Amino acid sequence: MLETVDLIIKASWLLPILPNEIITANQAVVIKNGNIVAIIDYHEVDLLYSASETVVLDNHVLMPGLINTHTHAAMSLMRGIADDLPLMQWLEQHIWPSEQKVLSNKFVKEGTLIACAEMLSGGTTTFNDMYFYPESIATAALQMGMRSSIGLVVLEFATQYANDADAYIAQGTEVRDTFKSEGLISFQFAPHAPYTVSDKSFEKIAILSEQIDIGIHTHLHETKMEIAQSIKKHGITPLNRIANLGLLSSRISFAHCVHLSHSEQQLLAEYGCHIAHCPTSNLKLASGIAPIDACLKSGINIGLGTDGAASNNRLDMFAEMRLAALLAKGTTLDATAISAYKALEMATINGAKSLGLEHKIGSIECGKLADLIAVDLGALTLKPCYDIASHLVYVADRHNVSHTWVNGELRYHRAQSQNGNFSGIEPQEIESIVQHWQKSLMNRQH
Ligand SMILES: [Zn+2]
C-alpha cells in the first residue's frame, strides 16, 4: 500500500547542506503537511508514495531556501533614492527625512509585499527584518507565504510609529502577542543600534527577551565613526558597552560587525553570538569590509544579509554569496578563504542558526520544514558544469531560480528560462560544443 503524501519533487541534483556536503544525483524529496518526510532515489519514490502533485526538475538542483539575516524590507520603496553617500549623511539627510514623510502602516505593508516578491523570486524563503509597524511586516509576509523573523524595532527618538523606547517595546510585544501562533513568523527584539538606544532600554530588552524567550538583533560596529563616537561618549566601544550591559549570549545577532578587533572576535565567539554579514551594503556605504574569514575561524556563526534595498540596492542573496566569497579571498590573499560551499552554508544553515530556527530550516533533512528552491542549470551561461556548489556561488544568479517553496507550498515559479537567439550560432550547437568538451575535460585525470 502506497503512503499518501502532498508533494514529491524529483530533482536531477540535491544539495542538502546537512547532514553532509555531498551533492547527489536523481533524488526525490517527499513532503507531507509542509514537512520533509523522505529523501530517496528518484526511481524508487513511486514504489512507496502516492502524491497529490509531483514536480519533475530534470535540469535543476534542489537546495534549501536562502535565509536573508538582515533586511529592512519596506525600504524597497526607497531603492535608489540616495546613492554614493556615507552612512550618516545617507541616514540623516535622506533616509530619516524621507521616512518622516511617508512612514505608515500602508507604506510598510506595501513595501514589504514588493520586497517579499523580489526575495521569493531570487530563492529567499526566510528574512530577518527590522522596521517600523511590525504588524504590517507580518501581514505582508503572511500574504506572500514567506517565512519571517520580525524585529520589534526600538529607538529612543519619536517617529510616526512610536514616541519613545518604552512605547516601541510595548507596541512591539503587543504585535508579537497577536501573531505568536503563526507558524511562519518568529520574533526578535530589534534595538536599532548602540548609538540610537540607551543603556536603560538595552537592559530592559535583555530582561524581556529572556522572559518571553525571543532573540535580539541589532546593528553593530558598522562604521569606524560609530566606534569613535562611543569611545568619546561612553569611554568604551559599542560592543564592550553591549557586553557590560549583559546582552551577549547565543540569542543575540549583530548586523555588520565591519570593524572588530581580535579580542572582540574572541568575545563574540566565547558567548556564541551571531553575525549577519552584509558585504554589498558595507561596500556601498563605504563602511569597510568585515573580517569574516577570521571571524569564521574563531568559531562565530555567520549568516548573510542584504540590508535594505535603499543601501544595497538589491535583495539578492546570490549576489551576497558571491561577494562574501570573493571579498574574503581578496582581503586575506588566501584563495581558500570562504569556499563556495562555505558561502552556501552561510546563506542557509548558518542563517537558520542565527535566527534560532536551525531545528526547522536551513537544510534538506527528514523532519525539517520544506523550505526549498530549485535552480535551473539549463541556461547557457551555466555551461559547462563540473561542480554544482561552485556554479551556484560563482556563476548562477537569482534569475536562475525556477521554483520557491515555503512549508511545501509553491510561492514562486518561473517558466523555463529562455536562452534567447543569436545570429551567429544555434542553441543546439552551443549544447553540443559544451557536451563534447565537458566530457573530455571530466576524463582528464584518467
Ligand atoms: Zn540595516
Side-chain angles (χ1 to χ4, degrees), residues 141-221:
L142 285 175
Q143 179 181 327
M144 298 301 286
M146 204 167 167
R147 194 176 305 285
S148 58
S149 162
I150 295 178
L152 307 173
V153 71
V154 181
L155 290 160
E156 295 299 328
F157 58 82
T159 58
Q160 280 91 327
Y161 170 61
N163 284 329
D164 58 23
D166 285 344
Y168 283 92
I169 292 171
Q171 287 169 222
T173 43
E174 214 171 281
V175 171
R176 186 252 174 192
D177 289 343
T178 309
F179 290 92
K180 70 179 171 191
S181 60
E182 291 288 350
L184 284 175
I185 301 181
S186 54
F187 289 94
Q188 308 211 48
F189 279 112
H192 170 261
Y195 58 90
T196 48
V197 177
S198 69
D199 286 3
K200 185 173 148 274
S201 300
F202 270 120
E203 282 171 333
K204 188 171 174 183
I205 288 165
I207 293 166
L208 279 171
S209 85
E210 282 212 18
Q211 269 175 8
I212 62 174
D213 194 24
I214 65 172
I216 302 172
H217 181 58
T218 187
H219 295 96
L220 187 80
H221 288 207

Coordinates of all heavy atoms in Angstrom, one line a residue, residues 141-221:
A141 N 4.1 39.6 4.9 CA 4.9 38.3 4.8 C 3.9 37.1 4.7 O 4.1 36.2 3.9 CB 5.9 38.1 5.9
L142 N 2.9 37.2 5.5 CA 1.9 36.1 5.5 C 1.1 36.1 4.2 O 0.9 35.0 3.6 CB 0.8 36.3 6.7 CG 1.3 35.9 8.1 CD1 0.3 36.3 9.1 CD2 1.7 34.4 8.2
Q143 N 0.8 37.2 3.7 CA 0.1 37.3 2.3 C 1.0 36.6 1.3 O 0.4 35.9 0.4 CB -0.2 38.7 1.9 CG -0.9 38.8 0.6 CD -1.2 40.3 0.2 OE1 -1.4 41.1 1.0 NE2 -1.1 40.5 -1.1
M144 N 2.3 36.8 1.3 CA 3.2 36.2 0.3 C 3.6 34.8 0.7 O 4.3 34.1 -0.1 CB 4.4 37.1 0.2 CG 4.2 38.5 -0.3 SD 3.4 38.6 -1.9 CE 4.7 38.2 -2.9
G145 N 3.2 34.3 1.8 CA 3.6 32.9 2.2 C 5.0 32.8 2.5 O 5.6 31.7 2.4
M146 N 5.7 33.8 3.0 CA 7.1 33.8 3.2 C 7.4 33.7 4.7 O 6.6 34.2 5.5 CB 7.7 35.1 2.7 CG 9.1 35.0 2.4 SD 9.7 36.4 1.4 CE 11.5 36.1 1.6
R147 N 8.5 33.0 5.1 CA 8.8 32.9 6.5 C 9.6 34.1 6.9 O 10.4 34.6 6.2 CB 9.7 31.6 6.7 CG 9.9 31.2 8.1 CD 10.7 29.9 8.3 NE 10.1 28.8 7.5 CZ 9.1 28.1 7.8 NH1 8.4 28.4 8.9 NH2 8.6 27.1 7.1
S148 N 9.2 34.6 8.1 CA 9.8 35.9 8.5 C 10.2 35.8 10.0 O 9.5 35.1 10.8 CB 8.9 37.1 8.3 OG 7.7 36.9 9.0
S149 N 11.3 36.4 10.3 CA 11.7 36.7 11.7 C 11.6 38.2 11.8 O 12.3 38.9 11.2 CB 13.2 36.2 11.9 OG 13.7 36.8 13.1
I150 N 10.6 38.6 12.6 CA 10.3 40.1 12.6 C 10.9 40.7 13.8 O 10.7 40.4 15.0 CB 8.8 40.2 12.6 CG1 8.2 39.7 11.2 CG2 8.4 41.7 12.8 CD1 6.8 39.8 11.0
G151 N 11.7 41.8 13.5 CA 12.3 42.5 14.6 C 11.4 43.6 15.1 O 10.8 44.3 14.4
L152 N 11.3 43.6 16.5 CA 10.4 44.6 17.1 C 11.3 45.8 17.4 O 12.1 45.8 18.4 CB 9.8 44.0 18.4 CG 9.1 42.6 18.2 CD1 8.7 42.0 19.5 CD2 7.9 42.8 17.3
V153 N 11.3 46.7 16.5 CA 12.3 47.8 16.5 C 12.1 48.7 17.7 O 11.0 49.0 18.2 CB 12.2 48.6 15.2 CG1 10.9 49.5 15.1 CG2 13.4 49.5 15.0
V154 N 13.3 49.1 18.2 CA 13.3 50.1 19.4 C 14.3 51.2 19.1 O 15.5 50.9 18.7 CB 13.8 49.3 20.7 CG1 13.7 50.3 21.9 CG2 12.9 48.1 21.0
L155 N 13.9 52.4 19.3 CA 14.7 53.6 19.1 C 14.3 54.5 20.3 O 13.3 54.4 20.9 CB 14.3 54.4 17.9 CG 14.7 53.8 16.5 CD1 13.9 54.4 15.4 CD2 16.2 54.0 16.2
E156 N 15.2 55.4 20.6 CA 14.9 56.4 21.7 C 14.0 57.5 21.2 O 13.3 58.1 21.9 CB 16.2 57.0 22.4 CG 17.0 55.9 23.1 CD 16.4 55.2 24.2 OE1 15.5 55.8 24.9 OE2 16.7 54.0 24.4
F157 N 14.2 57.9 19.9 CA 13.5 59.1 19.4 C 12.1 58.8 18.8 O 11.9 57.6 18.4 CB 14.4 59.9 18.5 CG 14.9 59.2 17.3 CD1 14.1 59.0 16.1 CD2 16.2 58.7 17.2 CE1 14.6 58.4 15.0 CE2 16.7 58.0 16.1 CZ 15.9 57.9 15.0
A158 N 11.3 59.8 18.8 CA 9.9 59.6 18.3 C 9.9 59.5 16.7 O 10.6 60.2 16.1 CB 9.1 60.8 18.7
T159 N 9.0 58.7 16.3 CA 8.7 58.6 14.8 C 7.1 58.6 14.8 O 6.5 58.5 15.8 CB 9.2 57.4 14.1 OG1 8.7 56.2 14.8 CG2 10.7 57.4 14.2
Q160 N 6.6 58.5 13.6 CA 5.1 58.3 13.4 C 4.7 57.1 14.1 O 3.6 57.0 14.6 CB 4.7 58.2 11.9 CG 4.6 59.6 11.2 CD 6.0 59.9 10.6 OE1 7.0 59.6 11.1 NE2 5.9 60.6 9.5
Y161 N 5.6 56.1 14.2 CA 5.2 54.8 14.7 C 5.1 54.8 16.3 O 4.2 54.2 16.8 CB 6.2 53.7 14.3 CG 6.1 52.4 14.9 CD1 4.9 51.6 14.8 CD2 7.1 51.8 15.7 CE1 4.7 50.4 15.5 CE2 7.0 50.6 16.3 CZ 5.8 49.9 16.2 OH 5.7 48.7 16.9
A162 N 6.1 55.4 17.0 CA 6.1 55.4 18.4 C 6.8 56.6 19.0 O 7.6 57.2 18.3 CB 6.7 54.1 18.9
N163 N 6.5 56.9 20.2 CA 7.0 58.2 20.8 C 8.4 58.0 21.5 O 9.2 58.9 21.5 CB 6.0 58.7 21.8 CG 4.9 59.4 21.1 OD1 5.1 60.0 20.0 ND2 3.7 59.3 21.7
D164 N 8.5 56.9 22.3 CA 9.8 56.7 23.0 C 10.1 55.2 23.1 O 9.3 54.4 22.7 CB 9.8 57.4 24.3 CG 8.7 56.9 25.2 OD1 8.2 55.8 25.0 OD2 8.2 57.6 26.1
A165 N 11.3 54.9 23.6 CA 11.7 53.5 23.7 C 10.6 52.6 24.3 O 10.4 51.5 23.8 CB 13.0 53.4 24.3
D166 N 10.1 53.1 25.5 CA 9.1 52.2 26.1 C 7.9 51.9 25.3 O 7.3 50.8 25.3 CB 8.6 52.9 27.5 CG 9.7 52.8 28.5 OD1 10.7 52.0 28.4 OD2 9.7 53.6 29.5
A167 N 7.5 53.0 24.5 CA 6.3 52.8 23.6 C 6.7 51.8 22.5 O 5.8 50.9 22.1 CB 5.9 54.1 23.0
Y168 N 7.9 51.9 21.9 CA 8.3 50.9 20.9 C 8.2 49.5 21.4 O 7.7 48.6 20.8 CB 9.7 51.2 20.4 CG 9.9 52.3 19.5 CD1 10.2 53.6 19.9 CD2 9.9 52.1 18.1 CE1 10.5 54.6 19.1 CE2 10.1 53.2 17.2 CZ 10.4 54.4 17.7 OH 10.6 55.5 16.8
I169 N 8.8 49.3 22.7 CA 8.8 48.0 23.3 C 7.4 47.5 23.5 O 7.0 46.3 23.2 CB 9.6 48.0 24.6 CG1 11.1 48.3 24.3 CG2 9.5 46.7 25.4 CD1 12.0 48.5 25.5
A170 N 6.5 48.3 24.1 CA 5.2 47.9 24.4 C 4.4 47.6 23.1 O 3.7 46.5 23.1 CB 4.4 49.1 25.2
Q171 N 4.5 48.4 22.1 CA 3.8 48.1 20.8 C 4.3 46.9 20.2 O 3.6 46.1 19.6 CB 3.9 49.3 19.9 CG 3.0 50.5 20.3 CD 3.3 51.8 19.6 OE1 3.4 52.9 20.2 NE2 3.5 51.8 18.3
G172 N 5.6 46.7 20.2 CA 6.2 45.5 19.6 C 5.8 44.2 20.3 O 5.4 43.3 19.6
T173 N 5.8 44.2 21.6 CA 5.4 43.0 22.3 C 3.9 42.7 22.1 O 3.5 41.5 22.0 CB 5.6 43.0 23.8 OG1 5.3 44.3 24.3 CG2 7.1 42.8 24.1
E174 N 3.1 43.8 21.9 CA 1.7 43.6 21.5 C 1.5 42.8 20.2 O 0.7 41.9 20.0 CB 1.0 44.9 21.5 CG -0.4 44.9 21.9 CD -0.9 46.4 22.0 OE1 -0.6 47.1 23.0 OE2 -1.6 46.8 21.1
V175 N 2.3 43.3 19.2 CA 2.3 42.6 17.9 C 2.7 41.2 18.0 O 2.1 40.3 17.4 CB 3.2 43.4 16.9 CG1 3.4 42.6 15.6 CG2 2.7 44.8 16.6
R176 N 3.8 40.9 18.8 CA 4.2 39.6 19.0 C 3.1 38.7 19.6 O 2.9 37.6 19.2 CB 5.5 39.6 19.9 CG 6.1 38.2 20.0 CD 5.9 37.7 21.4 NE 6.4 36.4 21.6 CZ 6.1 35.6 22.6 NH1 5.3 36.1 23.6 NH2 6.5 34.4 22.7
D177 N 2.3 39.3 20.6 CA 1.2 38.5 21.1 C 0.2 38.2 20.1 O -0.4 37.1 20.1 CB 0.6 39.3 22.3 CG 1.5 39.3 23.5 OD1 2.5 38.5 23.6 OD2 1.3 40.2 24.4
T178 N -0.1 39.1 19.2 CA -1.1 38.9 18.2 C -0.8 37.8 17.2 O -1.6 37.1 16.8 CB -1.3 40.3 17.4 OG1 -1.5 41.3 18.3 CG2 -2.5 40.2 16.4
F179 N 0.5 37.8 16.8 CA 0.9 36.8 15.8 C 1.7 35.6 16.3 O 2.2 34.9 15.4 CB 1.8 37.6 14.7 CG 1.1 38.6 13.9 CD1 1.0 39.9 14.3 CD2 0.4 38.2 12.7 CE1 0.3 40.9 13.5 CE2 -0.3 39.2 11.9 CZ -0.3 40.5 12.4
K180 N 1.8 35.4 17.6 CA 2.7 34.4 18.1 C 2.3 33.0 17.7 O 3.2 32.1 17.7 CB 2.9 34.5 19.6 CG 1.8 34.2 20.4 CD 2.2 34.3 21.9 CE 1.0 34.2 22.8 NZ 1.2 34.6 24.1
S181 N 1.0 32.7 17.3 CA 0.7 31.4 16.9 C 0.9 31.1 15.4 O 0.6 30.0 15.0 CB -0.8 31.1 17.3 OG -1.6 32.0 16.6
E182 N 1.3 32.1 14.7 CA 1.6 31.9 13.2 C 2.9 31.1 13.0 O 3.9 31.6 13.4 CB 1.7 33.3 12.5 CG 0.4 34.1 12.4 CD -0.6 33.5 11.5 OE1 -0.2 32.6 10.7 OE2 -1.8 34.0 11.5
G183 N 2.7 30.0 12.4 CA 3.9 29.1 12.2 C 5.0 29.8 11.3 O 6.2 29.4 11.5
L184 N 4.6 30.7 10.4 CA 5.6 31.3 9.5 C 6.4 32.4 10.2 O 7.3 32.9 9.6 CB 4.9 31.8 8.3 CG 4.5 30.7 7.2 CD1 3.7 31.4 6.1 CD2 5.7 30.0 6.7
I185 N 5.9 32.8 11.3 CA 6.5 34.0 11.9 C 7.2 33.7 13.2 O 6.7 33.0 14.1 CB 5.4 35.1 12.2 CG1 4.7 35.5 10.8 CG2 6.0 36.4 12.8 CD1 3.7 36.6 11.0
S186 N 8.4 34.3 13.4 CA 9.0 34.3 14.7 C 9.5 35.8 15.0 O 9.4 36.6 14.1 CB 10.2 33.4 14.8 OG 11.1 33.6 13.7
F187 N 9.8 36.1 16.2 CA 10.1 37.4 16.5 C 11.5 37.6 17.2 O 12.0 36.6 17.8 CB 9.0 38.0 17.5 CG 7.7 38.2 16.8 CD1 6.7 37.2 16.9 CD2 7.4 39.4 16.1 CE1 5.5 37.4 16.2 CE2 6.2 39.5 15.5 CZ 5.3 38.5 15.5
Q188 N 12.0 38.8 17.1 CA 13.2 39.2 17.9 C 13.0 40.6 18.3 O 12.3 41.4 17.6 CB 14.5 39.1 17.0 CG 14.7 37.9 16.2 CD 16.2 37.6 16.0 OE1 17.0 37.6 17.0 NE2 16.5 37.2 14.8
F189 N 13.6 41.0 19.4 CA 13.7 42.4 19.7 C 14.8 43.0 18.8 O 15.8 42.4 18.5 CB 14.1 42.7 21.1 CG 12.9 42.6 22.1 CD1 12.9 41.5 23.0 CD2 11.9 43.5 22.0 CE1 11.8 41.4 23.9 CE2 10.8 43.4 22.9 CZ 10.8 42.4 23.8
A190 N 14.5 44.2 18.3 CA 15.5 44.8 17.4 C 15.8 46.3 17.8 O 15.4 47.2 17.1 CB 14.9 44.8 15.9
P191 N 16.6 46.4 18.9 CA 17.1 47.7 19.2 C 17.9 48.2 18.0 O 18.8 47.4 17.6 CB 17.9 47.5 20.5 CG 18.2 46.0 20.5 CD 17.1 45.3 19.8
H192 N 17.7 49.3 17.5 CA 18.3 49.7 16.2 C 19.8 49.6 16.2 O 20.4 49.0 15.3 CB 17.8 51.1 15.8 CG 18.5 51.7 14.6 ND1 19.5 52.6 14.7 CD2 18.4 51.4 13.3 CE1 20.0 52.9 13.5 NE2 19.3 52.2 12.6
A193 N 20.4 50.3 17.2 CA 21.9 50.3 17.2 C 22.3 50.9 18.6 O 21.6 51.6 19.2 CB 22.5 51.2 16.1
P194 N 23.5 50.6 19.0 CA 24.0 51.2 20.2 C 23.9 52.8 20.2 O 23.7 53.4 21.3 CB 25.4 50.7 20.4 CG 25.4 49.5 19.6 CD 24.5 49.7 18.5
Y195 N 24.1 53.4 19.1 CA 24.1 54.9 19.0 C 22.7 55.5 19.0 O 22.5 56.7 19.1 CB 24.9 55.4 17.9 CG 24.5 55.0 16.5 CD1 23.6 55.7 15.7 CD2 25.1 53.8 15.9 CE1 23.3 55.2 14.4 CE2 24.7 53.4 14.7 CZ 23.8 54.1 13.9 OH 23.5 53.7 12.7
T196 N 21.6 54.6 18.9 CA 20.3 55.2 18.9 C 19.4 54.6 20.1 O 18.3 54.9 20.2 CB 19.5 54.8 17.6 OG1 19.7 53.4 17.3 CG2 20.0 55.7 16.5
V197 N 20.1 53.8 20.9 CA 19.4 53.1 22.0 C 20.2 53.3 23.3 O 21.4 53.1 23.4 CB 19.1 51.6 21.7 CG1 18.4 50.9 22.9 CG2 18.3 51.4 20.4
S198 N 19.5 53.6 24.4 CA 20.1 53.9 25.7 C 20.4 52.6 26.5 O 19.9 51.6 26.2 CB 19.2 54.8 26.6 OG 18.1 54.0 27.0
D199 N 21.3 52.8 27.5 CA 21.7 51.6 28.3 C 20.4 51.1 29.0 O 20.2 49.9 29.1 CB 22.6 52.1 29.4 CG 24.0 52.3 28.9 OD1 24.2 52.2 27.7 OD2 24.9 52.6 29.7
K200 N 19.6 52.0 29.4 CA 18.3 51.6 30.2 C 17.4 50.7 29.3 O 16.9 49.7 29.7 CB 17.6 52.8 30.6 CG 16.4 52.6 31.4 CD 15.8 53.9 32.0 CE 14.3 53.9 32.1 NZ 13.5 54.2 30.9
S201 N 17.3 51.1 28.0 CA 16.5 50.3 27.1 C 17.1 49.0 26.7 O 16.4 48.0 26.7 CB 16.2 51.1 25.8 OG 15.6 52.3 26.1
F202 N 18.4 49.0 26.6 CA 19.1 47.7 26.3 C 18.9 46.7 27.5 O 18.6 45.6 27.3 CB 20.6 47.9 26.1 CG 21.0 48.2 24.6 CD1 21.6 49.3 24.2 CD2 20.7 47.2 23.6 CE1 21.9 49.5 22.9 CE2 21.0 47.4 22.3 CZ 21.7 48.6 21.9
E203 N 19.0 47.3 28.7 CA 18.8 46.4 29.9 C 17.4 45.9 29.9 O 17.2 44.7 30.2 CB 19.1 47.2 31.1 CG 20.6 47.3 31.3 CD 21.1 48.2 32.5 OE1 20.3 49.2 32.8 OE2 22.1 48.0 33.0
K204 N 16.4 46.7 29.6 CA 15.0 46.3 29.6 C 14.8 45.2 28.6 O 14.1 44.2 28.8 CB 14.1 47.5 29.3 CG 12.7 47.2 29.5 CD 11.9 48.5 29.4 CE 10.4 48.2 29.5 NZ 9.6 49.4 29.3
I205 N 15.4 45.4 27.4 CA 15.2 44.4 26.3 C 15.9 43.1 26.7 O 15.3 42.0 26.4 CB 15.9 45.0 25.0 CG1 15.0 46.1 24.5 CG2 16.1 43.9 24.0 CD1 15.6 47.0 23.4
A206 N 17.1 43.2 27.4 CA 17.7 41.9 27.8 C 16.8 41.1 28.7 O 16.7 39.9 28.5 CB 19.0 42.2 28.5
I207 N 16.2 41.8 29.6 CA 15.3 41.1 30.6 C 14.1 40.5 29.9 O 13.8 39.3 30.0 CB 14.9 42.0 31.7 CG1 16.1 42.4 32.6 CG2 13.8 41.4 32.6 CD1 15.9 43.6 33.5
L208 N 13.4 41.3 29.0 CA 12.2 40.9 28.3 C 12.5 39.7 27.4 O 11.7 38.8 27.2 CB 11.6 42.0 27.5 CG 10.8 43.0 28.3 CD1 10.4 44.2 27.5 CD2 9.5 42.3 28.8
S209 N 13.7 39.8 26.7 CA 14.0 38.7 25.7 C 14.1 37.4 26.4 O 13.7 36.4 25.8 CB 15.2 39.1 24.9 OG 16.4 38.7 25.6
E210 N 14.6 37.4 27.6 CA 14.7 36.1 28.4 C 13.3 35.7 28.8 O 12.9 34.5 28.7 CB 15.6 36.3 29.6 CG 17.1 36.2 29.2 CD 17.9 35.6 30.3 OE1 17.4 34.9 31.2 OE2 19.2 35.8 30.2
Q211 N 12.6 36.7 29.3 CA 11.2 36.4 29.8 C 10.3 35.7 28.8 O 9.6 34.8 29.0 CB 10.5 37.6 30.4 CG 10.8 37.9 31.8 CD 10.2 39.2 32.3 OE1 9.5 39.9 31.5 NE2 10.5 39.6 33.5
I212 N 10.3 36.3 27.6 CA 9.4 35.8 26.6 C 10.1 34.9 25.5 O 9.5 34.5 24.6 CB 8.5 36.9 25.9 CG1 9.4 37.9 25.1 CG2 7.7 37.6 26.8 CD1 8.6 38.9 24.3
D213 N 11.4 34.7 25.8 CA 12.2 33.7 25.0 C 12.2 34.1 23.5 O 11.8 33.3 22.7 CB 11.6 32.3 25.2 CG 12.6 31.2 24.7 OD1 13.8 31.6 24.6 OD2 12.1 30.1 24.4
I214 N 12.6 35.3 23.2 CA 12.9 35.6 21.8 C 14.3 36.2 21.7 O 14.8 36.7 22.7 CB 11.8 36.6 21.2 CG1 11.8 38.0 21.9 CG2 10.4 36.0 21.2 CD1 10.9 39.0 21.2
G215 N 14.9 36.2 20.5 CA 16.2 36.7 20.3 C 16.3 38.2 20.3 O 15.3 38.9 20.4
I216 N 17.5 38.7 20.0 CA 17.8 40.1 19.9 C 18.6 40.3 18.6 O 19.6 39.6 18.4 CB 18.6 40.7 21.1 CG1 17.8 40.5 22.4 CG2 18.8 42.2 20.9 CD1 18.5 40.8 23.7
H217 N 18.3 41.4 17.9 CA 19.1 41.7 16.6 C 19.3 43.2 16.6 O 18.4 44.0 16.8 CB 18.2 41.2 15.4 CG 18.9 41.5 14.1 ND1 20.1 40.9 13.8 CD2 18.5 42.2 13.0 CE1 20.5 41.3 12.6 NE2 19.5 42.1 12.1
T218 N 20.6 43.5 16.4 CA 20.9 45.0 16.4 C 22.1 45.2 15.4 O 22.8 44.3 15.1 CB 21.3 45.5 17.8 OG1 21.4 46.9 17.8 CG2 22.5 44.9 18.3
H219 N 22.2 46.5 14.9 CA 23.3 46.9 14.1 C 24.5 47.1 15.1 O 24.3 47.6 16.1 CB 23.1 48.2 13.4 CG 22.0 48.2 12.4 ND1 20.7 48.6 12.7 CD2 22.0 47.9 11.1 CE1 20.0 48.5 11.5 NE2 20.7 48.0 10.6
L220 N 25.7 46.7 14.6 CA 26.9 46.8 15.5 C 28.1 47.0 14.7 O 28.4 46.3 13.7 CB 27.0 45.6 16.4 CG 28.1 45.8 17.5 CD1 27.6 46.6 18.7 CD2 28.6 44.4 18.0
H221 N 28.9 48.0 15.1 CA 30.2 48.3 14.5 C 30.2 48.3 13.0 O 30.9 47.7 12.3 CB 31.3 47.2 15.0 CG 31.7 47.4 16.4 ND1 32.9 47.0 16.9 CD2 31.1 47.9 17.5 CE1 33.0 47.2 18.2 NE2 31.9 47.8 18.6

